Each structure stands twice: as structure tokens, then as C-alpha cells.
Amino acid sequence: MVKLRPEQTDEGYKSVYSELTRPTVGSRIRAGIRTSGELMITFGLVVLLFAGYQVFGNSAAVDSEQDSLTQELDEAWADPTVAPTASTPAKQGPAAPGANLVGRLYIPKFDKKWVVVDGVQPDDIRYAPGHYPETAKPGQIGNFSVAGHRVRKIFWRLDEMEDGDVIGVETRDKWYVYHVYQQEIVKPNQVEVVAAVPGKPKAKPTKALLTLTTCNPKFNNYERLIIHAELVKTVPRNQALPDAGMPAEMKA
């Protein structure tokens, strides 16, 4: 039995219990390690929850924004005062409705489509794929390049693309059908993948290409997943036809 009552000693009154429970250097170190471990676990859970939200939790926000962009694009295309295609130089003055929208991107393999905005800054691609402004426009000779987040509602399954898979692009007056010919993984600083001739920044382009870029692997961003495709068909878009004349290859 441990005596709790203090007793007289040569050093004054002392309690055996207080001596047993007095912190030591070892106990202080153990307490510090335990506290640090708890903080690290808590921080890790917070980071994991945030990453989970970024990948899964913003699906409703992406859907909502895509609905708004779709309405804006449809209204712009129905307005005869708006330039026929995104490749037409914009007039000086206030931007017309839909001026920052490039068109629609389709991946029939996933039964997915998105309105593509013009720009790849964080605010541009928060809820939509974004066109690298310095690259070619859809159907043009060069490399029409598009970036998108690796989230459930955007480029989550891009790693499943294979040679020959179809990627479609819709503008106000044209349908463009591209076939995938290469998938690669690169470092974030390898920007030559969006050059007019991918991997050869100084080469003169002779083909109309498309490049999609996204983070890799899933849940991280220390690499970039790249999909290259080549234009194989161009079809006029005709609103008088069913589905505006969409090529059969682009239908899921």
C-alpha cells in the first residue's frame, strides 16, 4: 500500500505518492512524443479528408458549373452576333457572352462531355477543363491542348485511354474527331508535351493534334498524365440535323 499522508523526513515533509508521480526526463520525452504523434495523426486525417473532398466531394459543384457553362455556350452559339468559332479573333471592347468558352470536349468511352473554358489558371479549371491559350484551337494545325483536374467528374479515368480511342470536340460550326495514339507520364516541368509538335518545341507542325493533361497519380500531383490524339475527321455542325449532325464515333 502506498502511503498518501506526508511524513517527516530530514528534508521536510514528503509524500511517497508525490515522489512516485513526479515527472522525470524520460516521462517528459514520452509525453512529448505521444502528443506529437497525436497531432500528426490529426493533421494526416485533416489532409486525407481535404484530399477526399477535392476528389469526390466537389462533384455536385462541377455538375452545377457545367450546367451553367452549357447554358451560356448554347446561348452564345444561338446568338448571330457571336463569332462563328472560338478561333475567330475577338473584337475589341467588352467580352461577348461565351467569349471565354472554346466548345465541348467528348470522351465517348466514359460517356463524358464537358464545356471547355479558355485558360488553365486555377480559377479557370476549378470546375471545367481548360484550353492552354498559347496552343492551337480545335481543328487547327498544331496542338489543341487541354488541362483538367484528376477528379471524379473530370479527368479521373484518363489513364484508361488506349490507342484508337475517340476524343471529340464540338465548336459552333464543326465537329472534330480525334484518335488517341499515345499515353505518357512526365514531370510537371516537361511543358514540351503541349508544344505544336509534342516533345519538339522548335519543330514546325504539319498535323492537327489534341493533347489532354492531368495530374498523376490519383490523389497526388508529382507527375502529369498525358494523352495525345490526332485529328481524323471534320464534320460540319448542322443544327437542323438530329444531334446537330454529331459523328457516330462520338456517341457513347
Side-chain angles (χ1 to χ4, degrees), residues 3-251:
K3 297 181 180 180
L4 300 182
R5 180 175 298 180
E7 295 182 348
Q8 179 70 39
T9 68
D10 294 338
E11 300 176 1
Y13 283 94
K14 300 180 71 174
S15 167
V16 175
Y17 179 78
S18 66
E19 291 298 309
L20 291 174
T21 58
R22 177 176 294 174
T24 65
V25 173
S27 67
R28 289 192 178 96
I29 292 175
R30 288 191 294 273
I33 292 174
R34 183 169 58 251
T35 300
S36 298
E38 292 172 350
L39 288 174
M40 290 176 67
I41 292 172
T42 301
F43 179 74
L45 288 173
V46 170
V47 171
L48 183 61
L49 289 171
F50 178 75
Y53 169 77
Q54 288 294 98
V55 173
F56 301 103
N58 68 343
S59 294
V62 171
D63 284 340
S64 177
E65 182 65 16
Q66 280 291 313
D67 287 343
S68 298
L69 292 174
T70 294
Q71 182 177 352
E72 182 180 350
L73 187 67
D74 289 341
E75 290 175 354
W77 285 356
D79 186 347
T81 65
V82 175
T85 68
S87 61
T88 302
K91 296 181 179 179
Q92 297 297 322
N100 67 323
L101 305 181
V102 178
R104 291 189 183 92
L105 178 72
Y106 295 75
I107 300 185
K109 183 173 186 175
F110 307 145
D111 191 20
K112 293 287 188 180
K113 67 179 180 180
W114 308 269
V115 174
V116 178
V117 301
D118 198 26
V120 292
Q121 296 302 312
D123 287 345
D124 298 324
I125 63 173
R126 188 175 183 184
Y127 303 119
H131 166 240
Y132 288 84
E134 68 277 11
T135 68
K137 296 297 194 297
Q140 289 183 344
I141 297 297
N143 189 10
F144 171 54
S145 301
V146 177
H149 283 305
R150 197 78 179 272
V151 295
R152 296 285 295 186
K153 287 292 184 173
I154 305 182
F155 286 167
W156 181 251
R157 298 176 59 191
L158 209 61
D159 58 310
E160 299 175 30
M161 298 295 288
E162 300 174 333
D163 289 0
D165 284 342
V166 170
I167 301 175
V169 178
E170 177 189 13
T171 64
R172 181 174 177 174
D173 58 354
K174 292 287 193 308
W175 296 96
Y176 300 100
V177 179
Y178 296 82
H179 281 180
V180 173
Y181 69 85
Q182 184 184 20
Q183 177 184 136
E184 61 177 330
I185 295 174
V186 302
K187 297 299 182 183
N189 62 349
Q190 292 180 252
V191 295
E192 62 271 17
V193 295
V194 297
V197 179
K200 301 178 180 179
K202 296 182 180 180
K204 182 177 180 179
T206 60
K207 298 178 179 180
L209 305 177
L210 176 152
T211 293
L212 304 181
T213 74
T214 193
C215 293
N216 192 74
K218 292 175 179 177
F219 301 106
N220 218 313
N221 63 355
Y222 60 84
E223 296 174 334
R224 295 293 181 268
L225 173 64
I226 311 298
I227 300 295
H228 296 296
E230 182 177 351
L231 182 67
V232 296
K233 181 188 288 187
T234 301
V235 177
R237 185 177 181 275
N238 187 345
Q239 197 61 45
L241 298 176
D243 295 324
M246 175 189 286
E249 302 94 319
M250 290 176 55
K251 298 179 181 179

